[in-house]
Amino acid sequence: MMIIRYLTIFGRYLQLMGRTFSVPERMRMFFKSYVKEMAQLGVNSIGIVLLISFFIGAVICIQMKLNIQSPWMPRWVSGYTTREILLLEFSSSIMCLILAGKVGSNIASELGTMRVTQQIDALEIMGVNSASYLILPKIMGMLTIMPFLVIFSSATGILGAYATAYVGHVLPPDDLTLGLQHSFKSWFVWMSIIKSEFFAFIISSVPAFCGYTVEGGSVNVGKSSTDAVVSSSVLILFSDVFLTQLLS
């Protein structure tokens, strides 16, 4: 019974996505909503992304120096491992998990409120494709802004590592620079961006489904918001395993 329930939900999700990815009826309205959602979901998240990335970069550098560095290892190992962790996992996967909580709950609660107050029903009565009108700008806006968030996150994490070198004197800045430059593969940056695009789609589409299909009153809106964050986080972790294996 549990499998049938999940398959039913997945089928409803695919149906909603089919309605969402249709040509907008009024392109001018779509671009206006697209820019607004890009600012609301992406640009407004830059602050928390930069703050968390800075301190995580600093903490990773300190932990690598204290727990990995040893007399028989090169002194640049701390910088090298810090770079690899930031590029391969933190700036794409962990950051998207954080955004799933902020952006996902925002999308689910907004659409859920519109559903219980019958605003979506009013759009349907007027002959508007409400799925495309409400959800498509959110998905496209998130897909557009996510690569920039990943780049900002990686750069700020490295700044945090340098802060520990210059201010905390955890390790010499020259050793950190040498480690950051050692065996650098540009593909890792692209891999991080590609993974984040998949995660961006999950962050925007799954909460949109949870909010759009909510039933009942305002209590159910809160429940749908919680379900959206949990579902998005689990799907990000699952897809991270497959994408890492596929792209490595």
Side-chain angles (χ1 to χ4, degrees):
M1 292 297 292
M2 187 69 72
I3 296 175
I4 294 174
R5 178 170 168 266
Y6 283 126
L7 286 175
T8 304
I9 293 172
F10 182 62
R12 292 174 64 194
Y13 169 78
L14 292 179
Q15 285 181 328
L16 180 61
M17 289 301 105
R19 289 181 57 205
T20 299
F21 287 96
S22 60
V23 180
E25 295 167 4
R26 297 180 64 183
M27 292 302 296
R28 185 178 175 185
M29 288 294 295
F30 168 75
F31 281 115
K32 187 177 178 181
S33 300
Y34 165 68
V35 173
K36 176 190 168 189
E37 297 295 346
M38 193 162 50
Q40 184 177 337
L41 301 177
V43 176
N44 290 350
S45 301
I46 289 178
I48 190 171
V49 167
L50 296 183
L51 182 67
I52 293 173
S53 299
F54 181 85
F55 287 106
I56 289 292
V59 169
I60 289 173
C61 186
I62 293 170
Q63 292 286 8
M64 293 304 106
K65 177 67 174 71
L66 296 178
N67 296 298
I68 289 182
Q69 196 80 56
S70 61
W72 59 83
M73 295 179 88
R75 292 190 300 177
W76 47 259
V77 167
S78 296
Y80 173 75
T81 51
T82 299
R83 185 198 73 201
E84 297 297 276
I85 292 172
L86 285 172
L87 284 181
L88 292 176
E89 278 306 312
F90 176 77
S91 293
S92 57
S93 310
I94 309 301
M95 189 193 69
C96 287
L97 282 174
I98 296 167
L99 289 178
K102 180 184 182 297
V103 174
S105 60
N106 183 3
I107 293 174
S109 58
E110 179 186 339
L111 292 177
T113 302
M114 293 185 73
R115 171 62 75 184
V116 299
T117 55
Q118 299 181 341
Q119 295 179 51
I120 294 178
D121 296 330
L123 288 172
E124 296 285 351
I125 290 171
M126 289 189 293
V128 177
N129 181 352
S130 59
S132 178
Y133 179 75
L134 296 172
I135 299 174
L136 186 59
K138 297 180 187 298
I139 294 176
M140 297 306 296
M142 203 64 202
L143 289 173
T144 304
I145 203 71
M146 185 57 80
F148 297 99
L149 293 178
V150 169
I151 293 169
F152 291 155
S153 175
S154 300
T156 311
I158 291 172
L159 283 178
Y162 272 108
T164 62
Y166 281 103
V167 180
H169 304 292
V170 174
L171 75 166
D174 293 340
D175 291 342
L176 177 61
T177 303
L178 194 62
L180 291 173
Q181 294 174 343
H182 180 75
S183 298
F184 176 72
K185 297 178 182 177
S186 59
W187 168 244
F188 286 168
V189 178
W190 288 109
M191 191 168 94
S192 183
I193 291 173
I194 292 169
K195 284 166 63 177
S196 71
E197 287 290 89
F198 282 91
F199 300 153
F201 181 77
I202 292 172
I203 291 170
S204 52
S205 64
V206 173
F209 170 75
C210 293
Y212 189 88
T213 58
V214 70
E215 297 174 352
S218 56
V219 176
N220 296 71
V221 174
K223 184 178 179 298
S224 72
S225 181
T226 304
D227 292 341
V229 175
V230 173
S231 302
S232 300
S233 301
V234 171
L235 286 171
I236 286 171
L237 292 172
F238 270 117
S239 57
D240 186 29
V241 175
F242 294 109
L243 288 171
T244 303
Q245 182 68 29
L246 186 67
L247 297 172
S248 296

